[in-house]
Amino acid sequence: MAFELPALPYAYEALQPYMSAETLQYHHDKHHQAYVDTGNNLLKGSGLEDKSLEDIVKAAYGKNQPLFNNAGQHYNHLHFWKWMKPNGGGKSLPGKLAAKIDSDLGGYDKFREAFIEAGKTQFGSGWAWLTWKDGKLEVTKTPNGENPLVHGGVPLLGVDVWEHSYYIDYRNARPKYLEAFVDNLVNWEYVEELFDKAHG
C-alpha cells in the first residue's frame, strides 16, 4: 500500500494565531512529504508492500528501523492534521469521552495537565498521546516516530513535539505550544470517532 500525502482538511491560515500558515506549509508540504517519499522507497522490497499502514508500522518496529521511522511518522501525521481544527480545544468534549476521561484520568483538568506534562518532558523529538489500552484511557509519550500502536495501545489524540511542529511560532517555548494545542486546536469530534472505533 503506497503512502500518499493527504491534503490538509483546512486552509493553511485556518489555525492562526495558534499555528501559522508558514508552520503548516513546512510541516505538511516538506516534512510529511519527505516521510511519504522516503517511506515509499523503503517499502519496496520490504515484503510489506500489500499491508495496511497500521500493519506496516507494527511489523517494521524493531526490525526495519528506517521503514518504521517513516511509516510511523506518516501514520502519526495523517492523524495529526485531523486532530486539529479551527476553534478547537477547550473543555466541551463529547459526552462519552468526557465521562471516560473523568473515570480513568480524574477529569479534564487532570488530563490537560498530564498531557501537557508528557509533551514537555518528552526529551528531544517525539509525541504525547491520549491512548486507549486494555480498556482504559492513559496519557503516554513516545520518542521520535513511535506511537501507541507498537506498545499495544490505540492512539486517540497525539501532539507532535518535534521542533519543526512549533519552532517558527513558539521558538523554544514548547509548553506554550502545548497549551495552545490543547486549549485552542484539538478536534474533539475526531478523537471521539477514534474512541468509538477503539472501544467498540
Side-chain angles (χ1 to χ4, degrees):
M1 178 190 134
F3 304 156
E4 282 179 42
L5 184 73
L8 286 174
Y10 31 71
Y12 288 115
E13 298 77 27
L15 304 182
Q16 292 181 157
Y18 309 106
M19 190 173 282
S20 66
E22 188 183 3
T23 286
L24 279 175
Q25 279 164 341
Y26 273 98
H27 197 172
H28 174 270
D29 299 7
K30 303 278 193 302
H31 290 283
H32 192 174
Q33 184 69 63
Y35 300 134
V36 166
D37 294 344
T38 308
N40 279 328
N41 284 334
L42 293 165
L43 197 54
K44 289 174 197 152
S46 67
L48 300 170
E49 294 89 342
D50 58 344
K51 301 280 189 213
S52 71
L53 178 57
E54 285 88 345
D55 287 343
I56 292 167
V57 168
K58 290 177 190 171
Y61 181 63
K63 296 188 184 72
N64 182 339
Q65 198 61 35
L67 176 58
F68 172 75
N69 290 342
N70 288 278
Q73 283 290 73
H74 178 47
Y75 175 92
N76 295 349
H77 285 81
L78 283 178
H79 291 288
F80 185 57
W81 310 128
K82 294 183 187 175
W83 277 322
M84 299 184 288
K85 69 172 189 175
N87 307 308
K91 293 186 178 189
S92 52
L93 275 61
K96 279 182 294 185
L97 187 59
K100 198 71 178 137
I101 283 176
D102 287 347
S103 65
D104 292 354
L105 301 173
Y108 176 83
D109 290 340
K110 282 197 172 147
F111 153 74
R112 179 186 181 276
E113 189 184 338
F115 189 78
I116 289 170
E117 190 61 21
K120 268 166 48 180
T121 56
Q122 173 50 47
F123 184 72
S125 299
W127 293 73
W129 305 97
L130 176 65
T131 302
W132 176 257
K133 188 174 179 186
D134 301 329
K136 287 211 307 282
L137 295 176
E138 56 185 41
V139 173
T140 58
K141 60 186 176 180
T142 57
N144 303 315
E146 272 183 40
N147 62 47
L149 285 179
V150 300
H151 300 292
V154 179
L156 303 183
L157 173 66
V159 62
D160 187 347
V161 295
W162 288 57
E163 283 193 338
H164 61 235
S165 191
Y166 62 86
Y167 209 80
I168 289 168
D169 303 326
Y170 298 91
R171 295 302 178 227
N172 61 336
R174 189 192 283 187
K176 279 192 181 148
Y177 157 71
L178 290 163
E179 287 165 11
F181 178 85
V182 177
D183 295 341
N184 302 287
L185 292 176
V186 174
N187 180 351
W188 283 114
E189 287 70 34
Y190 186 58
V191 177
E192 182 190 36
E193 203 181 298
L194 295 174
F195 173 64
D196 286 346
K197 228 182 270 180
H199 85 302

